[in-house]
């Protein structure tokens, strides 16, 4: 439509339900910054969530952080937080295979069943496991007066938590985080577009490829691939390639290397918890 000419021939990100074609307002479409490939830009929604969680946690220089749940969001929270100066990050999960991810991301790892007193007394704890047991672990890791950020989505499930015991005497804080809202202290200056640009720039880091399986899956092959995708030990993220719809031709637009851009395609992301 009118005004979209600067985007012709460029790779863009749009958070929209999976369809072959759709019409959206210009402000819903974000051109990928130089250095962020489409293959890694599929992490943008989860990176945006991780950024919002770190904001909600009030993490600061030198803090000791524990992240319980080494799924996609948990790993990205650990990644974003580890970029804050002198922050010590501990990633906790029940799956020992996630230790390799933690090592690649440059953070410490501990199995939940092997946590010790030395792992506790954290300034900030983020819970991303999606289970009540994980939230109980998060509460046990928090130091006095510390905040536990609940970033899991429980839907309509009833959740039982140990809010007796030392919860009150240690004056712990349980803080909700939801990407649908910007933190209140940022709303005067930040917009959703500004936040998503941060996520798109973070997606330029090749280190994040460790979260994505190297082999993509064609949409038509997905029914056969689902058992493997959902199996234990599978990669956290799998890219799903959608058929490229027939569109009117557009003039080629070279990238910085003087090579033609890739053919237009739709890429979706399947994530493991």
């Amino acid at each position: 439509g009118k005004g979209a000419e600067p985007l012709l021939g460029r790779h863009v990100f749009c958070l929209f339900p999976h369809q072959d074609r759709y019409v959206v307002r210009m402000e819903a479409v974000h051109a990928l910054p130089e250095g962020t490939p489409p293959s890694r830009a599929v992490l943008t929604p989860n990176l945006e969530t991780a950024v919002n969680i770190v904001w909600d946690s009030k993490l600061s220089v030198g803090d000791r952080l524990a992240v319980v749940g080494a799924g996609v969001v948990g790993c990205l929270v650990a990644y974003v937080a580890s970029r804050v100066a002198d922050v010590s990050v501990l990633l906790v999960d029940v799956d020992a295979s996630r230790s390799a991810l933690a090592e690649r991301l440059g953070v410490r790892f501990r199995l939940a069943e092997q946590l010790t007193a030395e792992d506790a007394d954290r300034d900030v704890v983020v819970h991303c496991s999606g289970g009540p047991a994980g939230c109980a672990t998060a509460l046990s890791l928090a130091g006095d007066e510390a905040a536990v950020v609940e970033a899991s989505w429980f839907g309509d499930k009833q959740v039982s938590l140990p809010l007796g015991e030392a919860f009150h005497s240690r004056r712990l804080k349980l803080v909700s985080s939801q990407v649908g809202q910007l933190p209140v202290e940022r709303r005067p200056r930040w917009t959703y577009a500004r936040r998503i640009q941060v996520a798109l720039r973070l997606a330029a880091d090749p280190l994040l490829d460790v979260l994505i399986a190297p082999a993509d899956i064609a949409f038509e092959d997905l029914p056969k691939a689902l058992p493997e995708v959902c199996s234990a030990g599978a990669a956290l993220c799998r890219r799903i390639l959608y058929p490229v719809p027939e569109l009117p031709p557009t003039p080629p637009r070279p990238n910085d290397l003087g090579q033609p851009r890739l053919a237009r395609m739709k890429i979706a992301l399947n994530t493991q918890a």
Side-chain angles (χ1 to χ4, degrees), residues 50-75:
V51 168
N52 216 66
I53 290 168
V54 172
W55 284 345
D56 283 328
S57 75
K58 306 296 192 294
L59 185 74
S60 189
V61 173
D63 278 348
R64 300 174 70 237
L65 167 72
V67 181
V68 179
V72 178
V73 171
C75 285

Side-chain angles (χ1 to χ4, degrees), residues 115-135:
L115 288 166
T116 68
E118 294 182 358
D119 299 314
D121 199 30
R122 296 277 153 173
D123 301 296
V124 182
V125 184
V126 175
H127 175 231
C128 301
S129 82
C135 192

Side-chain angles (χ1 to χ4, degrees), residues 105-213:
L105 293 172
V107 301
R108 289 179 56 225
F109 178 84
R110 184 81 75 186
L111 279 172
E113 63 188 32
Q114 295 177 354
L115 288 166
T116 68
E118 294 182 358
D119 299 314
D121 199 30
R122 296 277 153 173
D123 301 296
V124 182
V125 184
V126 175
H127 175 231
C128 301
S129 82
C135 192
T137 297
L139 289 168
S140 72
L141 291 172
D144 290 356
E145 304 276 354
V148 175
V149 179
E150 180 51 81
S152 296
W153 172 246
F154 293 103
D156 59 359
K157 291 191 300 185
Q158 295 293 315
V159 177
S160 177
L161 297 176
L163 299 184
E165 303 175 1
F167 178 79
H168 290 284
S169 63
R170 292 169 54 210
R171 294 174 55 85
L172 300 181
K173 292 178 282 291
L174 193 57
V175 180
S176 66
S177 181
Q178 215 288 323
V179 72
Q181 294 286 344
L182 293 164
V184 65
E185 68 274 9
R186 292 183 179 268
R187 292 176 196 172
R189 304 171 308 281
W190 283 78
T191 63
Y192 293 108
R194 183 181 174 189
R195 184 181 64 184
I196 207 167
Q197 287 299 321
V198 171
L200 285 167
R201 290 194 296 271
L202 288 172
D205 190 348
L207 179 63
L208 297 178
D209 286 336
V210 69
L211 302 178
I212 306 174

Side-chain angles (χ1 to χ4, degrees), residues 38-42 209 212-218 222 237-241 267-270:
S39 59
R40 201 180 307 120
V42 295
D209 286 336
I212 306 174
D216 299 335
I217 302 172
L222 191 54
C237 305
R238 296 296 298 266
R239 282 186 297 257
I240 312 302
L241 301 186
I267 305 178
L269 183 66
N270 182 297

Side-chain angles (χ1 to χ4, degrees), residues 242-254:
Y242 287 71
V244 182
E246 292 296 328
L247 296 173
T250 57
R253 180 188 176 101

